[in-house]
Each structure stands twice: as structure tokens, then as C-alpha cells.
Amino acid sequence: MENFTYYTPTKVVFGKETEKQTGDLVKEQGCRKVLVHYGSGSVKRTGLLDRIYASLDEAGISYVSLGGVVPNPRLSLIYQGIDLCRKEGVDFILAVGGGSVIDSAKAIGYGVADEEQGDVWDFYEKIREPKACLPVGVVLTISAAGSEMSNSSVITNEKGWLKRGCNYDICRAKFAVMNPEITMTLPKYQTACGCTDIMMHTMERYFNQSGNMELTDGISEHLLRTVMNNARILMTEPDNYQARAEVMWAGSLSHNGLTGCGTDGGDWACHQLEHELGGMFDVAHGAGLAAVWGSWARYVMDARPERFAKFAVNVMGVEPGEDDMATALRGVEKMEEFYRQIEMPVCISDMDIDLTEEQMRELAEKCSHFGKRTVGCVKKLDKEDMYQIYRKAR
């Protein structure tokens, strides 16, 4: 096993009607004025935004609002948020939404706190490192990204449609309000995408090149089985509170570092491959991950067949085959069967995208940062490897 630091400073308030505590939670932070940041009309239609405003009013908290966050959150809206916060003297950001809203809020927080007042995109291109971030709180509406407890923020720059991430502990949320009831209005497709994203956050860590802790492996394997079981339930019982709660809590634990304790940090190639799909085609993150995972797994499994075989047996319930490679391949096939059960794609064409040769080359160029980096650790992938995976996944 590897040395590790486990840091989870986010206060979690979990359960029914917990959004009513939002005002008091914000008040605890000692702030003067809040930016309420959200997405589209769903938080308005369901009455959630009104409940948040009422809670802030009751706590005597002043606020301004900025909506309009879309999946694969846009840099242009983040610029608007930074300007608004500076103009209004905002010192706390409340993200009411899912991963895209939270990631956008973190980016705004970086930008407002940037003493140089340079381009916040610099942090995502690794030109500069952020030294501070405006404090962020979360009212979660979608179980998926795990951003409510992670140090991650991923945004999209419309100039070139580049999707980049920024990972620093200073952006971790001060609190996360999680009411599983709020997620009951999600369409089946969004629920399935969310479950896929949750699982991938653990699988990215599970597939690595280090020695592993038995306890961490056990937590990871049980989390994956739990999400799969409850994802199947939610396809036919969207109002099942217990299933919603299991998935929501799994989403946080999958991306707060717990499932990576004692590992080398994991592979993360699938996320990098998907980021470029999301940037080019604006696909749902979970769907894009499912579409490339099988091709990635088949491409790299020979570098660590025993790990893929363990996954096949302990997570997918596969009987051991004649050797690790045979067992591993059956595990990948079983995972693809699961994706089909919850109506997720298993290749890029399942998302009604017909990749051209030029597009595959462009995706590989962008994913490799124009030939300047490799991704992954199970097998280091260069630009040509990335192209081959996109080709096999199409």
C-alpha cells in the first residue's frame, strides 16, 4: 500500500427536508452576502429555490442569484459570476444543483479570491496555481459527480471547446446539504448517468498499479455493488427513498478520497478521454464514461489482468475462468450488460455520434494536450493509444 492523507472537511447534513437548514448553515460561516448559484428551471419548478431563499431570509442572510449553469459548465458564465460577486461584495457561494453547478461555483470562488485578478482559466490550464477560493456551500440536487465533497472542479472553455479540471483542497465545500427526496424528480436518463459517474469515480481509483489495502478494496467493491443494485431499482421505482439515499451517499463517498486510500491515486484515463467527448459533443458525463470504458478496459487489461479479474469476481459476480485474462474479459462484458440494463451506452455510436477519422484524431490531440502528456497508470496512454481507444469505442 501507499502512504496517504485523507482530508474531508465538508460538513454533511443528510436526510429529509434538510434544505430548510441552509440558512443556519450559511450563517455559521460568518458571511455577509451570498451568491446563490444554480442551473436551469428545475430548482424553480420544484420549489427548491424558494425554500432556499426562505431559509436564507429567516437567517437574515443577504444574497444575489446567478442561474444558467448547463452540463459541462461554461467559462463564460463563470466570468459573469466573478464580476457579479466583486460588484456585490459577495463573500460566500451557495451552489444549488449537481456537479456542474458545484464545479462552476468553485471556479467562481477561485476567480473572486484571485489577488492577481488574472484569468481564472489559467488555473485549469495549469499556468498558475490558485492560492485561495471563496468559501462554497452546497445543496445537492443530483447524485453523480461527488463534487460536494471533492477537491475537483471541471469546466469547459467555449474557445476551442476545451474541458479541463482543477483539483485543490481549498475549494472543498464547507457544508453539503443532501436530501434524497430532491432527486426523485430526475428523469431516468439523468439518474442512470449519475449512477454511472459515481461508479466510475471508484473504478478509476480501483484500477491502479500499486499495492492495495484489503479494506479500501472491500469498501470500493461494496460501494460498486450497492450502486448497481439500487440503480436497477430506480429504473422502475424512481420514488424509492431508500434507493435514492443509498445512491446519494455513495456518490459522496466515491469521490471524497475514501476509495483511494492506500493506492497510487488510480488511473483516470477514462475521465480524460470522456472530457474531450464532452467538450466536442456536449454529451452527459456519465454516458460518455460508459461509452468509452469497455474499450479502455480491453485495451489496458493485459497490463494488470489480475486486478481486472478480481473486479470481475468480487464486483460483477463472475466465476473464475481458465486464467485471469479470460475472467477479466467476462467482467468487462458483465459491466457492459449492466450499462445496457440501465440504458447507458457501451460505445460512442450509442449516443448518436458517428465519429469521423478527423474527429478521432482531434479528440486524441486534445486529450494528449497536443502530444505533450500521457494519461492513465494501468497502462500509460499516449496520443496514438488514445486514438486507438476512441476508434475501438466508436
Side-chain angles (χ1 to χ4, degrees), residues 142-194:
I142 300 175
S143 306
S147 191
E148 67 277 1
M149 288 189 75
S150 81
N151 68 351
S152 176
S153 168
V154 180
I155 63 174
T156 298
N157 187 340
E158 299 97 317
K159 292 182 180 179
W161 294 104
L162 300 172
K163 190 172 178 179
R164 297 288 184 263
C166 185
N167 299 69
Y168 292 91
D169 284 335
I170 54 175
C171 80
R172 288 183 186 266
K174 300 300 182 182
F175 64 79
V177 174
M178 292 188 268
N179 177 1
E181 291 178 307
I182 293 173
T183 67
M184 290 180 180
T185 59
L186 290 173
K188 182 190 292 188
Y189 182 75
Q190 280 189 283
T191 297
C193 284

Side-chain angles (χ1 to χ4, degrees), residues 34 73 81 90-91 168 206 219 223 229 309 311 325 327:
V34 174
V90 165
D91 57 1
Y168 292 91
Y206 187 89
I219 292 170
L223 187 152
N229 290 338
F311 171 83
M325 281 295 288
T327 305

Side-chain angles (χ1 to χ4, degrees), residues 110-130:
Y110 283 140
V112 176
D114 181 17
E115 292 184 356
E116 297 180 25
Q117 294 195 15
D119 192 340
V120 69
W121 183 247
D122 291 348
F123 302 140
Y124 292 81
E125 284 284 22
K126 309 298 188 289
I127 297 171
R128 296 186 294 143
E129 291 188 6

